[in-house]
Amino acid sequence: MKSIVTIGGGTGQFTLLTGLKKYPVRLTAIVSMADDGGSTGVLRDELGVLPPGDIRQCLVALSESETVMRDLFNYRYDQGGLKGHNFGNIFLSTLEKMTGSVEEAVRVAGMVLAVRGEVIPVTTSDTRLVCGKENVCRGEHVIDVSVLKEKDSLRLEPEVYANPKAASAIEQADCVVIGPGDLYTSIIPNLLVKGVPEAIARSSATVVFNCNLMNKAGHTDGFTVRDYVDEIEKRIGRGRVNFVTYNNRMPERELLEKYGEEGKSLVAVAAEDEDFGETAFRPLPADLISARVTVPKSGDQLKRTFIRHDPDALAALIIDNCLGGV
Amino acid sequence: MKSIVTIGGGTGQFTLLTGLKKYPVRLTAIVSMADDGGSTGVLRDELGVLPPGDIRQCLVALSESETVMRDLFNYRYDQGGLKGHNFGNIFLSTLEKMTGSVEEAVRVAGMVLAVRGEVIPVTTSDTRLVCGKENVCRGEHVIDVSVLKEKDSLRLEPEVYANPKAASAIEQADCVVIGPGDLYTSIIPNLLVKGVPEAIARSSATVVFNCNLMNKAGHTDGFTVRDYVDEIEKRIGRGRVNFVTYNNRMPERELLEKYGEEGKSLVAVAAEDEDFGETAFRPLPADLISARVTVPKSGDQLKRTFIRHDPDALAALIIDNCLGGV
């Protein structure tokens, strides 16, 4: 069975895993540990645990348990002292606090959720995302809503090393899939962990990058597919990306206008195929936009984008082109 | 396989079930729904759910899952916004809030905890324990710490009917075991639910009453075994109790003195066997005090008694005498 390692965090990785889990492949989700907003941030501060939010989303995506259990893990309280919290986050944080190990917490939650595959925190050390040399921006949730200047200064403080299990999974993978997800707050925080770019360099895995559908205001304004790939390869090495999936269907005008009001724009290639010229990667343009514009009942982000990847279209594109068949 | 139905709540029922589950019997725990203190009370008020605390204790007692899962359900937060809450209570309350059904919550939690047997809320209607005609005392947690006057006025407001599953389990049982537990706040609240005394009357089950080890200050001061049985039979019918287990070993003087400071005394027969004279029940005196005086890591009650029933001694006494063999 071919093994696929996904790297990311947030809703993007949830979507990707939801699609991939329908295929007979061995899945390992490597999850960013930079999140510090919302329910996750409160639990980090109050209980001194690692961020549970993205781990939870991956576990739920890979869950084969009954719907009620998956709904429970995504349940978000809207009243009382638990308001703003998320049950799954509380579950994971309590287990980590109790056992002293985030990996034990993930194991037990994985058992309860009957997870097929594995979820691995990219690091088991406590760290925060920081950006800027003069005007320092500290914390993923602050950076997330800020205009991002001095992008090359994005870093983790303190510097942390990769979870050995994450590095080993990458090295042994047949395919490493990066994204979709917020470039600077979900994707790159994984690549800032020491040992992760090195593991990708050492690995003989095919590397796939799933380009976002929309640009994020203040972060990736005006970015083209090429710009995304450049930012990724700046961390994992020039020419390391073998395949790039991206959307080439124009979404409904009405939705685009709504996004425009928030300063978000379509990634430049959406309407027509970009000519990448001489390039190391093979472009995989496709209609990747989800027809069902549903919003998960709950989660860590309060604002939800409505132009989303279609999990099945994305997974099919990867499986059909990047694995040499499963 | 013989079927045993236990009626109670709190630590007493936990102890009883812990002992009984080692035997090849079909166990059904019927749980009081009057609790409204601590974490349970907050969740009732804030989420509008039924009290989870006693259900949780029964589920954990019947759990055959790994230790980490049982510890998780009993985990009590000692810091942050979750302080005072108990994980298992949050688990049950969230499920009930999400599904709208306490029974669905118990089913899912039972699955997660790999429970052998069944846990049934005595009623699925919202109600509160109330006492007094002139000086009305409202709420189980208020009554629990009050000097109880006008005991006969103890009632549920609003009046509620038995969960049909609870009534049916009682009717079909080979043996109904009542107590141990706080007489007026854990045991009798079950018998105040309409349909419960009637089901016990209709049932051909043997009825066992496990008398408490200690009297509770302000509630059962100076009570003898006979007094306990009288209070129970006042609700379920004269002569309905077939067996009464009670302790006949004197605990260590030091412990007794500690209890004495809190106004708690040994139930009168502890040191010597009481002569019950002409009585409908068969007395079962035994050394029932636990040698290991441990205190659960967490739970709903802040004060813990240290003179406890030994689960194995209590279960053996019941199984050997009241079931006609299993």
Side-chain angles (χ1 to χ4, degrees), chain A:
Chain A
M1 201 186 279
K2 293 281 175 70
S3 69
I4 299 182
V5 168
T6 68
I7 297 180
T11 309
Q13 200 170 15
F14 177 88
T15 304
L16 174 66
L17 292 169
T18 301
L20 287 177
K21 87 161 167 188
K22 293 169 189 166
Y23 294 87
V25 289
R26 191 159 68 248
L27 285 174
T28 305
I30 294 178
V31 187
S32 162
M33 291 285 102
D35 189 11
D36 56 12
S39 159
T40 284
V42 173
L43 292 167
R44 283 190 87 164
D45 290 343
E46 291 190 345
L47 300 181
V49 293
L50 289 166
D54 287 350
I55 293 175
R56 182 199 83 236
Q57 291 207 49
C58 289
L59 288 170
V60 171
L62 294 176
S63 169
E64 294 190 331
S65 71
E66 32 175 335
T67 311
V68 63
M69 196 62 79
R70 300 203 301 276
D71 287 349
L72 175 65
F73 268 72
N74 279 334
Y75 186 86
R76 193 185 180 82
Y77 303 91
D78 57 6
Q79 59 189 13
L82 297 172
K83 189 171 175 175
H85 272 303
N86 170 288
F87 177 80
N89 291 356
I90 291 178
F91 188 100
L92 286 161
S93 298
T94 306
L95 268 172
E96 183 187 338
K97 176 86 182 153
M98 204 178 82
T99 64
S101 156
V102 67
E103 291 182 300
E104 174 67 358
V106 173
R107 182 190 72 80
V108 174
M111 205 173 59
V112 167
L113 283 165
V115 160
R116 191 170 73 72
E118 208 176 349
V119 176
I120 303 179
V122 69
T123 180
T124 55
S125 305
D126 192 24
T127 187
R128 301 280 165 153
L129 194 63
V130 179
C131 193
K133 300 264 181 207
E134 290 185 6
N135 295 309
V136 175
C137 210
R138 202 173 293 275
E140 187 270 341
H141 72 292
V142 176
I143 294 172
D144 192 47
V145 295
S146 304
V147 172
L148 204 57
K149 294 170 186 164
E150 306 175 87
K151 287 171 184 173
D152 287 342
S153 72
L154 197 72
R155 61 197 181 276
L156 296 172
E157 285 188 2
E159 284 191 341
V160 290
Y161 287 86
N163 181 346
K165 285 185 189 161
S168 155
I170 291 169
E171 284 171 35
Q172 288 161 30
D174 293 303
C175 183
V176 171
V177 185
I178 302 172
D182 285 338
L183 184 62
Y184 295 107
T185 51
S186 281
I187 308 301
I188 291 179
N190 288 290
L191 308 178
L192 295 173
V193 172
K194 285 190 178 296
V196 171
E198 292 82 350
I200 297 175
R202 267 196 306 275
S203 174
S204 57
T206 299
V207 175
V208 182
F209 173 64
N210 298 312
C211 190
N212 291 349
L213 304 175
M214 302 296 294
N215 285 323
K216 184 179 165 82
H219 281 224
T220 53
D221 303 285
F223 266 39
T224 63
V225 172
R226 180 86 254 178
D227 294 329
Y228 279 92
V229 176
D230 280 346
E231 280 294 90
I232 298 293
E233 292 196 335
K234 209 182 273 180
R235 272 81 186 187
I236 66 170
R238 288 289 152 215
R240 187 64 189 88
V241 174
N242 303 112
F243 294 90
V244 177
T245 76
Y246 60 93
N247 172 57
N248 66 355
R249 177 165 76 88
M250 184 64 84
E252 294 161 41
R253 174 164 304 278
E254 198 184 313
L255 267 176
L256 275 183
E257 280 169 3
K258 203 173 139 229
Y259 274 77
E261 286 166 16
E262 299 173 15
K264 294 172 183 168
S265 60
L266 208 62
V267 173
V269 291
E272 44 190 342
D273 288 1
E274 184 171 334
D275 178 8
F276 291 104
E278 289 290 318
T279 181
F281 65 79
R282 188 179 140 206
L284 297 172
D287 175 357
L288 292 176
I289 295 181
S290 176
R292 286 188 311 124
V293 183
T294 54
V295 171
K297 255 198 226 159
S298 53
D300 265 348
Q301 294 161 274
L302 293 174
K303 276 196 184 172
R304 288 283 171 193
T305 44
F306 289 82
I307 300 178
R308 289 276 176 75
H309 270 94
D310 181 274
D312 296 333
L314 182 62
L317 193 63
I318 295 166
I319 297 287
D320 292 347
N321 293 284
C322 315
L323 271 182
V326 291

